Amino acid sequence: MSKSRTKKTPVNQRKYVVPGIDDSLEFHPLKVAVLTVSDTRTPETDTSGALFATRLQEAGHHLAGRAIVPDEVDSIRKQVSAWVANPDVDVIVSTGGTGFTPRDVTPEAVGPLLRRVMDGFSVVFHQVSMDTIGVSTLQSRAFAGQADDTFIFCVPGSTGACRDAWDRILALEFDSRYRPCSIAGQVPRLRHLCA
């Protein structure tokens, strides 16, 4: 009995995709809603939500909604659920409520809504945070996942944490031109365009 063998390509001859933006591809904007979880912030004092709203629009995405809710499970879950049910929202970015104070309940509010957890986001967020706040990143419960077809990213409430998350992770991952892949390729309305 003869065994057929497949010829393997030597490692030094394999082609790899260099991570980054491929300017030859078309940019497809996402519809992003921004949620601030806070008992004290107002539209005038919400620097974290404002950072996300400004950055995502400057990048060419659409601000699909913006809200501030108190640190209460029911309030958070109600707003997130409404956006998940809205076909005009592809992604939700939440800021606040991811720490260890008694009022930090964003993971408890959003976690049960998720059908899939994006473990890698937490890992990458903590790696990025190590550069700016050191081991204090251990006190963050930043996480991400997918509820129905909507992606949800939950980060701490500090403006610095939001800046780290946007500038070093989300700006790239939300860009449909990012290779080897981006979240845009997983959004149902864009799958056929940028998978």
Side-chain angles (χ1 to χ4, degrees):
M1 180 163 95
S2 67
K3 294 182 181 178
S4 63
R5 294 184 181 184
T6 56
K7 186 176 178 183
K8 292 185 177 179
T9 305
V11 173
N12 63 350
Q13 293 179 8
R14 293 183 190 155
K15 293 183 181 180
Y16 294 96
V17 174
V18 176
I21 301 294
D22 182 344
D23 289 321
S24 70
L25 299 174
E26 183 178 352
F27 175 79
H28 298 282
L30 297 177
K31 301 171 187 176
V32 184
V34 176
L35 178 65
T36 299
V37 177
S38 173
D39 289 330
T40 59
R41 295 195 184 176
T42 66
E44 295 76 34
T45 63
D46 179 22
T47 56
S48 297
L51 182 138
F52 277 137
T54 300
R55 291 279 214 278
L56 73 90
Q57 290 176 98
E58 288 175 348
H61 300 290
H62 301 294
L63 181 61
R66 186 169 170 200
I68 300 173
V69 298
D71 289 281
E72 297 168 355
V73 169
D74 290 342
S75 298
I76 298 164
R77 194 173 291 162
K78 181 179 178 182
Q79 182 61 68
V80 170
S81 295
W83 280 337
V84 167
N86 184 341
D88 290 328
V89 175
D90 299 322
V91 176
I92 299 166
V93 178
S94 161
T95 172
T98 61
F100 283 92
T101 71
R103 297 287 293 164
D104 289 329
V105 294
T106 299
E108 290 75 19
V110 177
L113 301 175
L114 302 178
R115 67 181 177 100
R116 293 179 178 159
V117 175
M118 187 184 294
D119 297 318
F121 174 76
S122 181
V123 172
V124 173
F125 178 81
H126 288 297
Q127 288 175 334
V128 165
S129 294
M130 279 292 291
D131 292 343
T132 55
I133 63 168
V135 295
S136 294
T137 190
L138 293 174
Q139 295 183 42
S140 165
R141 296 187 294 153
F143 68 102
Q146 189 179 33
D148 291 337
D149 287 323
T150 305
F151 286 95
I152 305 171
F153 295 85
C154 300
V155 301
S158 77
T159 306
C162 295
R163 186 179 303 108
D164 287 347
W166 180 265
D167 293 349
R168 298 190 53 197
I169 306 169
L170 300 179
L172 295 171
E173 190 58 19
F174 288 7
D175 194 317
S176 58
R177 302 167 299 170
Y178 188 79
R179 289 296 172 257
C181 60
S182 73
I183 286 297
Q186 299 303 318
V187 171
R189 68 181 179 83
L190 298 175
R191 269 190 205 128
H192 67 288
L193 296 172
C194 49

